[in-house]
Amino acid sequence: MDSKKIIIVGQGVSGTLFSWFCAQHNLDFIIIDNALTNSPSKTAAGLINPVTGRRVVTVWMDDIILPFAEKTYKEIGAQLGIEAISKMNIVDFFPNPFMKESFLKKMSLQAPYISLAKDEPYLNEYFNYEFGTGIIEPAYIVHLQQLLPAWRKHLLSENKFIEQSFNFNRLQVSDHSVQYENIVADLVVFCDGVEGSENPYFHLLPFALNKGEAIIIEAPELPVGHIYKKSMTLAPFGEPGIFWAGTNYIWEFDDHLPTEAFRKSTEQNLNSWLKVPYKILDHKAAVRPATVERRPFVGLHPLYKNVGILNGMGTKGCSLAPYFASQLVQHIVHQQPLEKEADIARHARILSRPQA
């Protein structure tokens, strides 16, 4: 079939991965992105955790999504000459006896990814803790601080990147094509994160935005190569000795700015948990494009067949985006079906409502 031209709106994790797979399929594309400094992709730790929540539940589609993500980031890193992903483990400090009991119960059922720490005492040098630790592995850190700028730089060198805010007034959608200013294309695909909740084509989807905050600290004495988790997550962030300390889920918020309350509570937690000195370098906050069902939005609009979406990844963008970006490209090129739980066809009735 003829190669399609695609306008991609947004270069967060979803836009980066979608454009990567477009490039792998030799599709002609251009990205429009305004380079917000406080976007979730630039604020996130890049953590991929195979289990979730207090009940240590294996994440959705883990056996497919996790190996696919690891392979994809390695391939992108190889092309760009950077380390895009690191494999490591999570040292899970049990905050109370009940959480330890829950973890041990899961282990007795031979749940994947979890075990008890074997050489635990060395952690006493660095942390205060009472109830022992578990290990979760493999986990991954995607180095978004390096990956996103490196991909942007590559796209700029190929004239595939326009640095500006997207303006819906300049978009014209017809039955067979789309046009944005002087760019004519077959499709426009929105990877626009939280802005998707106000996107005129997709704002009716059940987004459930939440806010997260993190403090970036310097703690050179902490052993590297691990992610640490107790009442918060401490994840390696960029350079050696730098860690990301977060996160919280705030469902009701006034703005996307960092809060004094989060900073104070995080400092208190760090002061009681860490035995080694640390220095606060930065405080970040961002709003995430989560969804009511905790499943992404992937596919083409039921009424406007040349308007697509890849969004709603929530806190799991780094693990979900590679697989669903690839699926969407396969869907566009070969009409392959999308995963039912992610396909926006499930919301066709909502999206087909007449607009006021």
Side-chain angles (χ1 to χ4, degrees):
M1 63 168 285
D2 296 339
S3 177
K4 292 184 179 293
K5 173 150 185 168
I6 303 176
I7 298 168
I8 302 169
V9 181
Q11 195 237 329
V13 178
S14 291
T16 294
L17 271 297
F18 181 66
S19 57
W20 163 260
F21 283 108
C22 285
Q24 301 311 294
H25 285 77
N26 296 315
L27 295 177
D28 188 11
F29 67 89
I30 190 149
I31 289 189
I32 300 170
D33 183 88
N34 61 358
L36 281 177
T37 53
N38 69 326
S39 69
S41 299
K42 296 189 180 72
T43 307
L47 175 61
I48 297 179
N49 184 347
V51 299
T52 185
R54 295 183 173 189
R55 291 175 295 132
V56 202
V57 178
T58 304
V59 295
W60 177 53
M61 291 178 64
D62 63 299
D63 53 333
I64 298 170
I65 278 169
L66 300 180
F68 192 92
E70 182 182 14
K71 177 175 178 285
T72 302
Y73 290 117
K74 281 182 173 173
E75 286 170 0
I76 299 173
Q79 180 176 321
L80 295 175
I82 61 169
E83 187 181 14
I85 189 168
S86 296
K87 191 182 209 171
M88 50 187 73
N89 63 19
I90 298 172
V91 182
D92 191 2
F93 292 80
F94 304 125
N96 55 54
F98 309 106
M99 294 290 279
K100 181 172 188 172
E101 196 178 317
S102 175
F103 194 93
L104 291 172
K105 191 174 178 184
K106 282 281 180 185
M107 274 184 61
S108 72
L109 298 171
Q110 297 185 315
Y113 308 115
I114 62 173
S115 60
L116 282 181
K118 292 182 180 66
D119 49 355
E120 201 175 87
Y122 86 95
L123 293 168
N124 282 319
E125 286 180 51
Y126 310 101
F127 297 96
N128 293 303
Y129 62 103
E130 296 173 75
F131 304 108
T133 60
I135 297 290
I136 299 166
E137 65 182 337
Y140 303 90
I141 293 286
V142 179
H143 303 295
L144 296 173
Q145 315 303 311
Q146 289 80 30
L147 172 61
L148 299 186
W151 184 240
R152 175 178 296 238
K153 187 179 173 187
H154 169 73
L155 295 179
L156 282 164
S157 73
E158 306 245 311
N159 294 316
K160 289 183 177 294
F161 198 98
I162 298 172
E163 217 153 356
Q164 62 172 235
S165 293
F166 187 84
N167 184 338
F168 281 96
N169 296 326
R170 297 177 193 161
L171 177 68
Q172 294 172 289
V173 175
S174 68
D175 290 344
H176 304 291
S177 66
V178 296
Q179 183 166 350
Y180 185 77
E181 296 181 343
N182 61 346
I183 305 163
V184 178
D186 297 280
L187 292 153
V188 58
V189 174
F190 289 99
C191 306
D192 48 354
V194 294
E195 291 173 19
S197 65
E198 295 176 4
N199 181 314
Y201 293 94
F202 295 110
H203 69 280
L204 293 174
L205 290 171
F207 281 93
L209 307 184
N210 71 59
K211 181 176 172 180
E213 294 189 56
I215 281 172
I216 311 303
I217 66 166
E218 186 176 26
E221 292 176 37
L222 276 185
V224 296
H226 307 279
I227 299 151
Y228 303 103
K229 189 167 169 278
K230 198 177 178 189
S231 54
M232 70 174 87
T233 299
L234 261 184
F237 194 72
E239 300 159 43
I242 309 296
F243 289 83
W244 178 101
T247 181
N248 54 350
Y249 299 87
I250 305 167
W251 297 99
E252 292 181 26
F253 47 89
D254 298 323
D255 54 45
H256 60 260
L257 301 172
T259 62
E260 188 61 29
F262 175 82
R263 185 181 175 118
K264 278 184 177 165
S265 70
T266 303
E267 277 192 78
Q268 283 173 352
N269 282 333
L270 287 170
N271 292 343
S272 63
W273 187 22
L274 295 186
K275 287 183 175 178
V276 296
Y278 71 92
K279 184 169 82 175
I280 292 178
L281 303 179
D282 200 0
H283 182 183
K284 295 170 175 275
V287 179
R288 310 181 188 95
T291 71
V292 170
E293 320 144 297
R294 304 196 175 191
R295 294 290 179 263
F297 298 139
V298 186
L300 302 175
H301 198 289
L303 300 183
Y304 308 97
K305 302 293 186 188
N306 41 13
V307 178
I309 186 171
L310 183 67
N311 204 333
M313 306 286 163
T315 57
K316 301 205 162 39
C318 285
S319 57
L320 296 177
Y323 182 74
F324 287 107
S326 172
Q327 267 217 337
L328 185 54
V329 171
Q330 295 284 353
H331 182 65
I332 290 165
V333 176
H334 302 298
Q335 290 76 53
Q336 288 193 2
L338 297 163
E339 173 68 35
K340 276 196 172 67
E341 285 187 66
D343 189 345
I344 57 161
R346 71 194 192 272
H347 297 300
R349 277 176 64 187
I350 299 170
L351 290 171
S352 300
R353 281 181 196 160
Q355 297 292 300

